[in-house]
Amino acid sequence: MARLALLNNIEHQDLRVITRHAGAFGDDINQVLVFPTEFEEIQREYPIFFSKDSRGEWIAVALLGLDRNENLFLDDSGWRARYVPAVQQRGPFSIGLQEQQAGTRAEPVIHIDLEHPRVSRTEGEPLFLKHGGNAPYLERVSRVLRVIHQGIEVSKPMFAAFAEHGLIEPVAVEVKLSDTEQYNLTNFSTIGAANLNALDGAALERLNKAGFLRAAFAVVSSISNVSRLIELKNRRRAGA
């Protein structure tokens, strides 16, 4: 059970965070939530799909595996990709909002889950420098949290714009590994490439000014990474 605390360099001076990736830290998942603020990095490694969350809101996910609890990018040596999605990079940290003074605008602050399996006092990366100030790892975490925080703010208007222009469409992906083994991915949606290419100049300009056009093209480009999943899956099957 999470035990969140506002991170500070007095109570948490000696805390460390284990940064390696493994199933014990929740990395054995076959899909992960991703944000528009990281689409350009994500599309170089993973297929991006859209689905609905428990509230019926559109979200974007990166597909990591074909079976339940299967991350084809994870092995005994860690996460084998050039970019790890922000949600999996953030470790025990999250962003909360706090008023600095009564009546002022709430500002984002960092919280840490003290019960998270990555939190340690004996191994891992320090959070604070010995004589004060943030350690390089904590600075990196701050950047990752900004990617998430800004991505959450951008996601809803992005999906609204995609829907307005008729760009979101269901996709059925057939992954055939052999004559007898096939996966049918039917619960996802994507950007309809034909509809995207058919947009007129005014629509393209609106999407571009909003910063959503590059995100749309990143989603379309990412689908080619399904072939990489097939390659990784067959490699894992051959080594089993």
Side-chain angles (χ1 to χ4, degrees), residues 36-231:
T37 41
E38 59 179 335
F39 275 8
E40 289 196 37
E41 296 287 352
I42 293 291
Q43 62 92 21
R44 296 187 181 102
E45 301 283 340
Y46 319 98
I48 302 170
F49 291 107
F50 303 152
S51 64
K52 294 284 188 78
D53 65 13
S54 59
R55 299 169 299 176
E57 301 282 348
W58 284 111
I59 59 172
V61 298
L63 191 65
L64 307 176
L66 300 174
D67 285 309
R68 187 178 179 85
N69 300 328
E70 176 186 67
N71 183 347
L72 292 169
F73 299 87
L74 186 71
D75 61 22
D76 292 341
S77 64
W79 196 301
R80 302 291 295 274
R82 291 167 294 181
Y83 179 80
V84 176
V87 165
Q88 297 306 115
Q89 286 191 62
R90 71 175 178 178
F93 303 99
S94 60
I95 282 186
L97 295 175
Q98 177 176 286
E99 288 185 357
Q100 302 301 314
Q101 295 180 354
T104 62
R105 181 181 176 183
E107 298 291 336
V109 292
I110 299 178
H111 288 85
I112 183 169
D113 176 6
L114 297 174
E115 299 298 329
H116 196 282
R118 289 189 180 277
V119 175
S120 173
R121 295 184 186 276
T122 58
E123 62 174 313
E125 296 287 336
L127 302 182
F128 300 102
L129 300 174
K130 187 174 182 180
H131 299 295
N134 295 345
Y137 169 68
L138 188 53
E139 294 291 342
R140 189 164 73 247
V141 165
S142 297
R143 293 193 292 270
V144 169
L145 292 176
R146 279 196 295 273
V147 167
I148 295 172
H149 183 65
Q150 293 169 0
I152 291 171
E153 292 183 339
V154 169
S155 289
K156 193 166 185 176
M158 181 193 72
F159 281 116
F162 288 168
E164 177 188 351
H165 294 291
L167 296 179
I168 302 176
E169 62 179 38
V171 60
V173 181
E174 293 184 356
V175 178
K176 191 170 185 179
L177 300 179
S178 68
D179 292 337
T180 59
E181 191 172 2
Q182 179 171 313
Y183 293 84
N184 297 309
L185 310 178
T186 59
N187 296 321
F188 293 123
S189 293
T190 188
I191 292 290
N195 289 346
L196 179 61
N197 292 332
L199 290 179
D200 61 24
L204 290 171
E205 184 178 6
R206 287 197 299 274
L207 286 172
N208 189 49
K209 283 185 175 180
F212 303 147
L213 188 59
R214 292 176 70 178
F217 279 113
V219 172
V220 173
S221 175
S222 77
I223 303 303
S224 64
N225 288 319
V226 170
S227 61
R228 187 179 183 200
L229 285 182
I230 297 172
E231 178 187 345

